[in-house]
C-alpha cells in the first residue's frame, strides 16, 4: 500500500465534481484495455480520485496512462458500529494523467470546440503536440505529387493492394468539417464519414478494422453478434458506493470524436441495428430509462464490415439480395465497398508471394519496393491536418459538385428506354462534399478545388460501380441500394402485371374464370424473357391487393377471375 504506480486503461465513467473541504474532487472509473487483459480473464476496473486541476481532464472513452499512489480505506459494516470489513476499499490518488499516445491520432479539434470551448483543460492535453522539425517534414510531404498514393499505401501496409478501399478509409480518418450554420434550420451538419466493407470471407476486412482501431483517437471495436442495443448506446446501473442510479456509456458514446469499428455487421439483431439510424445521421443517442431522460453525443465515424447472405457473394443476384441490410441503413453509409474474391492466377501468385515474404521477414512486398511512412509519422500527419485545416468550398468546386450530382442522377437514363432511373440521393451529394473536404485536408489545403470533388466522385463511383450495378442492364442504379429493387426490375414487374391483366381480359371476356396453370403457361410463351413461378405469384398477389383480380381454389383447381368495374 501507499506505493506509486503507473497504469493504462480506458475511462468508463466520471462522476460530477464533488466539492470537498479544501479542493474539488472527482472519482473516475478506469477499466483495463482489452489488449492488456491476461488470457482467459475479464478486465478489472479501479477507482481513481482526481483533485484540483486534474478534475475534468479526461472523460468517458479516453485511453489514458495514470500515475498515482495506490491507497486503501477501511470500510465499516454499519455506520453506527466500529467493526470494519476484512476487505479494504482500494483506490488511486491521481498525481498525473497522460492522454497522448504516439501511435494514435489526436482528437478532431472541431469536435472538442463544440463542447469544451469554455473549458481549456483537456483541450491542450488531447491534441497531439507537433515539433517544428515534424511540422517541416509534414509540409514537405504534403507538397509531393504522390502524397495521396503514399499515405494510402502506408495505411495497413501488410494488407495487399485494395488501394481504393484504403483511400476511402484514409479519407474517413481525415474526416470532413463539422459545420453549424446560423441561417440553416439544422444547427449541426456532420463531418464524419461512414464506410461499409461488404464481401467474401478472407479478404482482410477485419485486419483493416483492427488497424484503424489501433490508430483511431478514441473508439471501440465491437462485433455484431456480441453487441446488444444497450451495449452500443447506454445502460442504467446502480453505483455500488452511493447506491444511486447512474448511466453507463455504451460503445457508440465512448467512441464520441473517434471511430467505432463494428465487425460482423450483418449478424446483428434488428433491434440492435435500429439504434444506429439516429447515430449515423443525427449523431446523438436519445435515452429514456429509469427516470433518466437525456440525449448523449455520439459524433463518431462508423467503419463496419459484413458478409453477404450466403457468406459468399453471388454475382447473379442484385446487391440488396446479397447484403442483408435494410435500405434505410445502407443509404447512411457514405461509401459501400464490395470486396470480392476474384480468381486470377497472376494476382493470386503475387498475393501468395506477398504473404510468404511477410513470414520470411517483416518486409511486405509492396513496402520493400516502394516507400511507406512509419505509423508514428502517419498519425502525426493526420492529426496535424485535422487540427490545422478546415477547408472551405470554392465556387469552382460547388459548380463541379452540382454537375457531378446531376450527372449521377442522370447516369441511369437510357436513350432507347427513355426512362430515368434513380441513381443517387441527396445523401450522396453530402457524401461528396465530406469526401472532397477530407481530400483537401489531406493536401493541407484551405480550399476545396474541383480536383478534390472529382476524386470524391471517383471514389463513390468505384464503390457504387460494383455496389449498385443493375444486373439486367449493367448501368449504375442507386435504387438498388436505397429502394431494394432497381428501376428496370420495377419496370419489369409493371409490364408483367399489365400482361397478366390483358391476357385475363382476353381469356375471361364472358366473366368466366381462367385456370392458374394455363395463364402461367401462356404468359411464359408470350414474353421473350423467361418468367419465374415466384415472379408470377408475386405479380398476382400485387394485382389481388390492388383489387384487379381474385384468386380462388387450391392445387390444380386453382383459378383466376378478373375483377372489373373497380372505382
Amino acid at each position: 500500500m501507499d506505493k506509486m504506480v503507473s497504469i493504462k486503461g480506458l475511462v468508463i465513467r466520471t462522476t460530477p465534481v464533488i466539492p470537498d473541504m479544501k479542493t474539488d474532487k472527482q472519482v473516475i472509473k478506469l477499466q483495463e484495455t482489452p489488449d492488456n487483459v491476461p488470457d482467459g480473464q475479464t478486465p478489472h476496473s479501479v477507482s481513481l480520485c482526481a483533485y484540483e486541476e486534474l478534475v475534468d481532464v479526461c472523460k468517458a472513452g479516453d485511453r489514458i496512462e495514470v500515475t498515482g499512489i495506490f491507497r486503501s480505506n477501511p470500510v465499516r459494516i454499519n455506520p453506527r458500529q466500529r467493526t470494519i470489513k476484512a476487505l479494504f476499499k482500494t483506490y488511486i490518488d491521481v498525481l498525473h494523467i497522460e492522454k497522448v499516445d504516439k501511435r494514435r491520432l489526436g482528437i478532431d479539434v472541431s469536435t472538442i470546440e463544440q463542447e469544451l470551448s469554455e473549458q481549456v483543460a483537456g483541450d491542450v492535453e488531447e491534441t497531439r503536440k507537433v515539433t517544428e522539425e515534424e511540422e517541416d517534414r509534414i509540409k514537405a510531404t504534403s507538397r509531393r505529387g504522390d502524397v495521396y498514393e503514399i499515405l494510402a499505401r502506408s495505411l495497413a501496409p501488410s494488407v495487399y493492394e485494395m488501394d481504393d478501399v484504403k483511400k476511402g478509409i484514409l479519407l474517413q480518418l481525415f474526416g470532413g468539417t463539422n459545420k453549424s450554420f446560423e441561417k440553416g434550420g439544422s444547427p449541426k451538419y456532420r463531418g464524419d464519414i461512414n464506410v461499409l466493407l461488404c464481401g467474401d470471407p478472407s479478404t482482410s476486412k477485419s485486419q483493416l478494422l483492427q488497424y484503424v482501431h489501433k490508430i483511431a483517437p478514441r473508439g471501440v471495436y465491437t462485433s455484431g453478434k456480441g453487441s446488444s442495443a444497450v451495449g452500443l448506446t447506454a445502460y442504467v446501473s446502480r453505483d455500488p458506493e452511493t447506491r444511486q442510479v447512474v448511466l453507463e456509456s455504451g460503445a457508440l458514446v465512448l467512441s464520441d470524436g473517434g471511430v467505432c469499428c463494428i465487425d460482423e455487421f450483418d449478424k446483428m439483431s434488428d433491434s440492435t441495428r435500429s439504434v444506429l439510424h439516429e447515430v449515423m445521421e443525427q449523431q446523438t443517442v436519445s435515452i429514456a430509462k429509469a427516470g433518466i431522460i437525456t440525449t448523449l453525443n455520439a459524433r463518431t465515424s462508423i467503419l463496419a464490415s459484413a458478409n453477404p447472405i450466403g457468406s459468399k457473394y453471388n454475382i447473379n443476384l442484385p446487391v440488396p439480395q446479397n447484403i442483408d441490410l435494410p435500405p434505410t441503413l445502407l443509404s447512411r453509409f457514405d461509401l459501400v465497398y464490395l470486396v470480392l474474391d476474384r480468381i486470377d492466377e497472376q494476382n493470386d501468385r503475387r498475393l501468395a508471394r506477398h504473404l510468404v515474404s511477410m513470414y520470411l521477414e517483416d518486409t511486405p512486398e509492396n513496402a520493400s519496393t516502394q516507400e511507406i511512412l512509419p505509423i508514428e509519422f502517419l498519425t502525426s500527419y493526420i492529426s496535424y491536418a485535422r487540427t490545422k485545416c478546415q477547408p472551405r468550398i470554392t465556387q469552382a468546386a460547388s459548380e463541379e459538385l452540382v454537375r457531378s450530382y446531376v450527372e449521377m442522377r442522370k447516369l441511369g437514363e437510357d436513350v432507347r428506354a427513355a426512362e430515368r432511373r434513380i441513381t443517387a440521393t441527396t445523401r450522396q451529394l453530402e457524401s461528396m462534399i465530406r469526401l472532397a473536404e477530407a481530400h483537401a485536408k489531406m493536401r493541407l489545403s484551405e480550399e476545396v478545388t474541383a480536383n478534390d470533388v472529382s476524386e470524391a466522385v471517383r471514389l463513390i463511383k468505384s464503390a457504387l460501380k460494383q455496389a449498385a450495378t443493375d444486373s439486367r442492364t449493367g448501368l449504375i442504379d442507386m435504387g438498388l441500394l436505397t429502394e431494394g429493387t432497381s428501376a428496370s426490375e420495377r419496370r419489369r414487374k409493371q409490364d408483367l402485371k399489365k400482361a397478366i391483366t390483358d391476357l385475363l381480359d382476353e381469356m375471361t371476356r364472358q366473366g368466366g374464370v381462367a385456370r392458374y396453370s394455363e395463364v402461367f403457361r401462356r404468359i411464359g410463351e408470350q414474353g421473350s424473357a423467361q418468367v419465374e413461378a415466384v415472379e408470377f405469384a408475386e405479380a398476382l398477389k400485387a394485382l389481388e391487393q390492388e383489387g384487379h383480380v381474385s384468386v380462388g381454389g387450391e392445387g390444380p383447381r386453382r383459378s383466376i377471375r378478373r375483377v372489373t368495374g373497380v372505382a
Side-chain angles (χ1 to χ4, degrees):
M1 289 298 137
D2 290 351
K3 282 186 180 177
M4 187 176 280
V5 293
S6 175
I7 56 166
K8 281 183 183 177
L10 179 74
V11 177
I12 296 296
R13 185 163 54 84
T14 57
T15 62
V17 178
I18 304 163
D20 220 348
M21 287 292 286
K22 295 177 183 175
T23 60
D24 291 335
K25 174 184 164 187
Q26 186 181 35
V27 179
I28 301 163
K29 190 176 171 189
L30 190 77
Q31 191 184 70
E32 276 182 293
T33 46
D35 38 302
N36 295 337
V37 178
D39 295 342
Q41 292 188 20
T42 52
H44 293 285
S45 56
V46 66
S47 294
L48 314 174
C49 287
Y51 302 97
E52 293 183 13
E53 71 273 1
L54 292 174
V55 169
D56 268 348
V57 162
C58 57
K59 54 185 184 296
D62 286 340
R63 281 182 172 77
I64 58 172
E65 187 171 354
V66 176
T67 307
I69 299 164
F70 189 60
R71 298 190 190 277
S72 64
N73 266 354
V75 181
R76 288 189 179 187
I77 291 174
N78 190 325
R80 296 175 188 172
Q81 296 177 345
R82 282 191 170 182
T83 321
I84 58 171
K85 291 183 181 179
L87 285 176
F88 281 40
K89 180 185 152 198
T90 57
Y91 64 95
I92 292 174
D93 266 344
V94 181
L95 300 175
H96 180 253
I97 294 175
E98 175 75 35
K99 275 190 184 180
V100 179
D101 181 354
K102 281 223 179 287
R103 294 173 76 89
R104 283 187 181 273
L105 303 172
I107 196 164
D108 191 357
V109 182
S110 57
T111 305
I112 300 174
E113 281 169 0
Q114 284 173 14
E115 59 176 22
L116 290 176
S117 48
E118 309 90 27
Q119 306 171 12
V120 185
D123 215 20
V124 183
E125 292 283 327
E126 222 159 320
T127 53
R128 284 216 5 211
K129 305 278 192 304
V130 178
T131 60
E132 281 186 23
E133 189 185 332
E134 264 189 314
E135 190 170 349
D136 292 341
R137 198 179 156 204
I138 286 169
K139 284 179 177 170
T141 309
S142 71
R143 285 192 287 271
R144 288 177 56 165
D146 62 342
V147 60
Y148 190 31
E149 306 296 330
I150 193 172
L151 286 171
R153 206 164 51 229
S154 307
L155 190 78
S158 59
V159 176
Y160 183 68
E161 287 191 342
M162 296 175 68
D163 293 340
D164 271 355
V165 178
K166 285 185 184 179
K167 283 174 181 174
I169 293 173
L170 181 72
L171 293 188
Q172 181 185 35
L173 290 173
F174 279 103
T177 313
N178 291 318
K179 294 174 283 292
S180 50
F181 298 132
E182 296 289 324
K183 295 174 186 173
S186 174
K188 284 200 292 279
Y189 290 85
R190 74 176 167 103
D192 296 305
I193 296 165
N194 300 319
V195 179
L196 173 69
L197 308 177
C198 179
D200 298 333
S202 78
T203 46
S204 62
K205 299 188 298 293
S206 299
Q207 288 291 332
L208 282 168
L209 260 69
Q210 288 278 12
Y211 185 87
V212 171
H213 172 63
K214 282 196 178 82
I215 67 167
R218 294 156 61 89
V220 177
Y221 183 93
T222 176
S223 180
K225 208 65 181 164
S227 308
S228 62
V230 289
L232 286 177
T233 52
Y235 51 96
V236 174
S237 66
R238 202 171 281 282
D239 192 329
E241 291 157 26
T242 59
R243 309 302 299 158
Q244 288 181 336
V245 174
V246 290
L247 206 60
E248 300 266 5
S249 303
L252 291 166
V253 181
L254 290 176
S255 305
D256 184 28
V259 180
C260 184
C261 300
I262 305 174
D263 207 352
E264 310 295 350
F265 194 63
D266 53 315
K267 294 168 186 66
M268 266 187 177
S269 64
D270 289 340
S271 59
T272 311
R273 219 182 276 143
S274 61
V275 167
L276 294 167
H277 286 77
E278 184 190 357
V279 173
M280 288 174 74
E281 207 57 57
Q282 279 74 41
Q283 299 209 298
T284 54
V285 173
S286 302
I287 301 289
K289 293 175 185 176
I292 299 171
I293 300 165
T294 183
T295 302
L296 304 170
N297 282 324
R299 294 158 300 193
T300 170
S301 302
I302 288 178
L303 176 60
S305 80
N307 289 115
I309 285 185
S311 290
K312 187 113 171 93
Y313 191 85
N314 185 350
I315 49 174
N316 298 322
L317 290 176
V319 177
Q321 289 178 32
N322 270 300
I323 306 175
D324 188 21
L325 293 176
T328 45
L329 197 59
L330 264 181
S331 67
R332 282 172 161 80
F333 282 102
D334 298 281
L335 291 168
V336 179
Y337 280 106
L338 275 194
V339 190
L340 302 184
D341 186 12
R342 292 191 186 87
I343 298 167
D344 173 18
E345 189 183 338
Q346 202 176 355
N347 204 30
D348 292 345
R349 186 169 278 114
R350 283 206 301 267
L351 175 59
R353 279 198 193 122
H354 166 80
L355 266 174
V356 173
S357 71
M358 282 176 61
Y359 282 94
L360 285 170
E361 49 188 326
D362 190 14
T363 52
E365 203 170 85
N366 63 341
S368 59
T369 54
Q370 294 167 302
E371 183 193 358
I372 65 159
L373 305 171
I375 186 170
E376 288 84 2
F377 180 71
L378 180 69
T379 53
S380 169
Y381 186 98
I382 297 174
S383 304
Y384 182 84
R386 284 162 63 130
T387 311
K388 301 286 181 189
C389 298
Q390 303 297 323
R392 297 276 171 161
I393 293 175
T394 58
Q395 185 61 37
S398 69
E399 286 167 9
E400 179 68 20
L401 275 166
V402 172
R403 193 190 62 73
S404 302
Y405 175 64
V406 173
E407 191 185 308
M408 279 180 88
R409 297 280 285 185
K410 273 188 181 175
L411 208 57
E413 192 174 30
D414 192 356
V415 181
R416 291 162 300 171
E419 57 173 332
R420 295 190 177 199
R421 293 179 182 82
I422 301 167
T423 50
T425 61
T426 43
R427 279 194 180 137
Q428 267 61 47
L429 178 60
E430 290 191 335
S431 298
M432 279 190 246
I433 296 169
R434 281 191 283 271
L435 288 165
E437 284 174 345
H439 194 265
K441 263 190 195 179
M442 185 207 65
R443 297 184 295 106
L444 302 186
S445 168
E446 288 298 326
E447 290 185 337
V448 179
T449 63
N451 289 342
D452 296 322
V453 176
S454 56
E455 173 56 25
V457 173
R458 189 196 68 78
L459 267 183
I460 288 177
K461 280 186 183 172
S462 79
L464 290 181
K465 184 165 58 196
Q466 300 161 320
T469 304
D470 193 329
S471 59
R472 292 189 187 280
T473 60
L475 294 170
I476 291 179
D477 186 356
M478 274 301 295
L480 276 168
L481 287 182
T482 52
E483 292 184 34
T485 56
S486 69
S488 73
E489 204 73 39
R490 294 192 292 272
R491 179 70 173 265
R492 183 178 155 82
K493 283 181 180 172
Q494 286 295 332
D495 290 346
L496 183 60
K497 279 156 66 174
K498 189 175 184 304
I500 291 171
T501 50
D502 290 349
L503 184 63
L504 284 173
D505 285 340
E506 189 187 315
M507 290 173 73
T508 60
R509 276 194 183 138
Q510 307 303 320
V513 294
R515 191 69 60 83
Y516 185 95
S517 54
E518 180 67 17
V519 177
F520 178 54
R521 185 183 63 78
R522 287 183 61 175
I523 282 287
E525 287 170 359
Q526 274 184 12
S528 56
Q530 190 183 350
V531 178
E532 299 289 332
V534 180
E535 277 184 298
F536 182 72
E538 280 180 2
L540 264 183
K541 193 176 178 184
L543 284 169
E544 197 173 15
Q545 284 172 348
E546 290 165 15
H548 296 309
V549 300
S550 67
V551 182
E554 287 293 326
R557 293 188 175 184
R558 207 165 176 200
S559 59
I560 308 167
R561 183 190 297 275
R562 177 84 165 96
V563 179
T564 52
V566 179

